[in-house]
Amino acid sequence: MIYSELHNILSSKTIHLKSGQYLFTQGDSVKNIYCVNKGRIKLVRDTFEGTPILIHVAYAEESIAEASLFSKKYHCSAMAGTNTEVIVYSKDELLKILQENPESMMNLLKQLTTQVRDLRMLNETKSIYSAKEKVLTYLSTEFHRDKDSDLPLKDIAQKIGMAHETFYRTLKILENNGKIKRNKSHIKLTNL
Amino acid sequence: MIYSELHNILSSKTIHLKSGQYLFTQGDSVKNIYCVNKGRIKLVRDTFEGTPILIHVAYAEESIAEASLFSKKYHCSAMAGTNTEVIVYSKDELLKILQENPESMMNLLKQLTTQVRDLRMLNETKSIYSAKEKVLTYLSTEFHRDKDSDLPLKDIAQKIGMAHETFYRTLKILENNGKIKRNKSHIKLTNL
DNA sequence: AGAAACATATGATTTGAATCATGTGGTTGC
DNA sequence: GCAACCACATGATTCAAATCATATGTTTCT
């Protein structure tokens, strides 16, 4: 998780959310920073006009609201997408520790740079129109091997911005073409 | 720019690139951090398999390679997309200053959290399939008003992952429906 | 253990975004 | 001031991805 080493220093508590329950609501003042331990949390933004939009889905080991470390209010709402376990840290305490402890701040900085890079990569993957190309590009990224390896296919489909039906089909085609191999739910590029 | 206050402390120099010239190449060791002053820089990643893919386009006031602050080697190449002016900072010097100066580190942290938030937002905008919905969602974001307001429409189209032709057409439809107003190249949502 | 909820899978159909083509207007550079 | 380049625009066409439907396999909850 993003605060691995800090976890021992910081006081924390664990809370359990039922699917559909809210962790916080857009506009609430930012008191806490969270880390998903199990399950998933959807970040949803209420727009003045019309339907709320999904901003992000955080899975196990992912921290959320660190983007709100410097905000007064949450700019989105967080809802459990399934029964979920979340670790809670105090924002103020975290900020204090970071200030006293440049090394851990540097560490957090590092994690954020990685996040930025991953997000950019994902962003451009999403720009690819062709399903085959998109899937191959996604599979060639690091975060597929690392973090995403145990995500349901359906969720991966959503992550890269394609209908899950299309994703299943595309995987099959690529498999038949010998471009990828699958055993159980682990997918591997053939080349390299 | 991302290092606004640091700019005065850090030593820097400005370099000029012709369209198509490389700033650095994937695999080069990371000596410098850059900030685009004028023009634009494309970050491109060479994939073992097949065509290189575009990771990001950095415009004026945008820093690049800060995602590489902690990397030994650049993970992508940077090419000028047009005649471009870039400010160069030394990575080591920047890291040193940050360490000595927790406040500026905190500041950089803050900028990165904003970047993460924006990227997530953009990411989900890209997931929207319907052109109209996608454009409306994009227009409702902050970074449209702030940073993107002077981008060519063509570049915005690329940023949100749609063919520029579709973007022009969609804008026209939305304008005819009274959902948006345009004067010159500034676009505004009607409601709110 | 059984039920409910969800992931995986695949077929049929529709649709709308990409693509190709072409033209005009506006900037930029020499 | 001219030429080259690029943004903007719009029409016609194609095609592949979304959608709808339905079924089976798999986890999860009680």
Side-chain angles (χ1 to χ4, degrees):
Chain A
M1 84 187 72
I2 213 162
Y3 309 122
S4 42
E5 49 174 71
L6 289 175
H7 182 72
N8 306 313
I9 314 175
L10 292 164
S11 61
S12 67
K13 63 178 175 182
T14 304
I15 60 175
H16 298 262
L17 297 170
K18 294 268 181 207
S19 178
Q21 247 189 309
Y22 278 87
L23 182 58
F24 54 80
T25 303
Q26 189 169 334
D28 287 356
S29 61
V30 180
K31 296 272 197 310
N32 300 310
I33 303 294
Y34 306 91
C35 183
V36 179
N37 210 21
K38 198 162 169 278
R40 59 171 169 272
I41 295 283
K42 294 189 202 170
L43 298 181
V44 180
R45 182 151 193 185
D46 300 318
T47 53
F48 34 95
E49 173 69 39
T51 45
I53 60 165
L54 181 68
I55 296 184
H56 184 67
V57 182
Y59 294 92
E61 304 294 287
E62 218 174 312
S63 67
I64 50 181
E66 86 284 19
S68 294
L69 246 186
F70 301 95
S71 305
K72 286 259 184 301
K73 313 236 171 206
Y74 292 113
H75 65 294
C76 62
S77 302
M79 195 188 76
T82 178
N83 292 0
T84 300
E85 213 176 289
V86 173
I87 306 175
V88 187
Y89 304 96
S90 149
K91 181 188 98 171
D92 289 338
E93 191 188 351
L94 176 58
L95 278 175
K96 186 160 156 275
I97 299 276
L98 287 176
Q99 249 147 357
E100 291 165 355
N101 200 336
E103 236 172 89
S104 47
M105 178 147 55
M106 197 62 114
N107 237 296
L108 182 54
L109 201 60
K110 190 173 175 180
Q111 314 250 24
L112 279 168
T113 59
T114 306
Q115 244 184 86
V116 167
R117 217 186 315 178
D118 286 353
L119 280 168
R120 279 185 188 165
M121 191 62 217
L122 188 58
N123 242 315
E124 292 303 332
T125 303
K126 278 188 164 176
S127 291
I128 301 168
Y129 187 65
S130 151
K132 280 177 215 157
E133 294 263 326
K134 180 184 278 196
V135 170
L136 285 174
T137 301
Y138 167 74
L139 290 176
S140 73
T141 56
E142 297 89 0
F143 50 83
H144 161 242
R145 273 161 251 139
D146 308 345
K147 300 183 60 181
D148 295 355
S149 43
D150 51 354
L151 282 188
L153 299 179
K154 204 190 161 204
D155 288 16
I156 294 182
Q158 142 126 307
K159 183 167 179 176
I160 62 179
M162 83 176 19
H164 57 277
E165 296 98 322
T166 308
F167 190 49
Y168 296 137
R169 277 188 253 268
T170 306
L171 284 177
K172 183 164 209 187
I173 294 170
L174 293 174
E175 200 175 11
N176 290 343
N177 291 0
K179 304 252 190 182
I180 62 171
K181 294 236 165 161
R182 289 201 273 177
N183 50 345
K184 257 190 63 156
S185 72
H186 198 76
I187 311 163
K188 227 176 50 187
L189 279 175
T190 309
N191 60 44
L192 226 189
Chain B
M1 81 187 77
I2 212 163
Y3 309 122
S4 42
E5 47 173 73
L6 290 174
H7 183 72
N8 306 314
I9 313 175
L10 292 164
S11 61
S12 67
K13 63 178 175 183
T14 303
I15 60 175
H16 298 261
L17 298 169
K18 293 270 182 207
S19 179
Q21 248 188 308
Y22 279 87
L23 181 58
F24 55 79
T25 304
Q26 188 169 335
D28 286 358
S29 63
V30 180
K31 296 270 198 308
N32 300 310
I33 303 293
Y34 306 91
C35 184
V36 179
N37 210 22
K38 200 161 168 278
R40 58 171 169 273
I41 295 283
K42 293 187 203 172
L43 299 181
V44 180
R45 181 149 195 187
D46 300 318
T47 53
F48 36 94
E49 173 70 37
T51 46
I53 61 163
L54 181 68
I55 296 185
H56 185 68
V57 182
Y59 295 92
E61 304 294 287
E62 218 174 313
S63 67
I64 49 181
E66 87 282 19
S68 294
L69 246 187
F70 301 95
S71 306
K72 287 258 184 298
K73 314 235 170 208
Y74 291 113
H75 66 294
C76 63
S77 303
M79 195 188 76
T82 179
N83 293 359
T84 301
E85 214 175 289
V86 173
I87 307 175
V88 187
Y89 303 97
S90 149
K91 180 189 99 170
D92 289 338
E93 192 189 350
L94 176 57
L95 277 175
K96 187 160 155 277
I97 299 276
L98 287 176
Q99 249 147 358
E100 292 166 354
N101 201 335
E103 235 172 272
S104 47
M105 178 147 57
M106 197 63 115
N107 238 296
L108 182 54
L109 202 60
K110 190 174 173 177
Q111 313 249 25
L112 279 168
T113 59
T114 306
Q115 245 184 83
V116 167
R117 218 185 317 179
D118 286 354
L119 280 168
R120 280 185 187 164
M121 191 63 218
L122 187 58
N123 242 315
E124 292 302 331
T125 304
K126 278 186 165 177
S127 291
I128 300 168
Y129 187 65
S130 151
K132 279 176 215 157
E133 294 264 325
K134 181 186 276 197
V135 171
L136 285 175
T137 301
Y138 167 74
L139 291 175
S140 73
T141 56
E142 297 87 2
F143 51 81
H144 161 242
R145 272 160 251 140
D146 309 344
K147 300 184 61 180
D148 296 354
S149 44
D150 51 354
L151 282 188
L153 298 181
K154 205 191 162 204
D155 289 15
I156 294 181
Q158 143 126 305
K159 183 167 181 178
I160 61 178
M162 84 175 19
H164 56 277
E165 297 98 322
T166 308
F167 190 49
Y168 297 138
R169 275 188 255 269
T170 305
L171 284 177
K172 184 164 209 187
I173 293 170
L174 293 174
E175 200 175 12
N176 290 344
N177 292 0
K179 303 253 191 183
I180 62 171
K181 294 236 164 159
R182 289 202 274 177
N183 49 345
K184 258 190 63 154
S185 71
H186 197 77
I187 310 161
K188 227 176 48 185
L189 279 175
T190 310
N191 58 43
L192 227 187

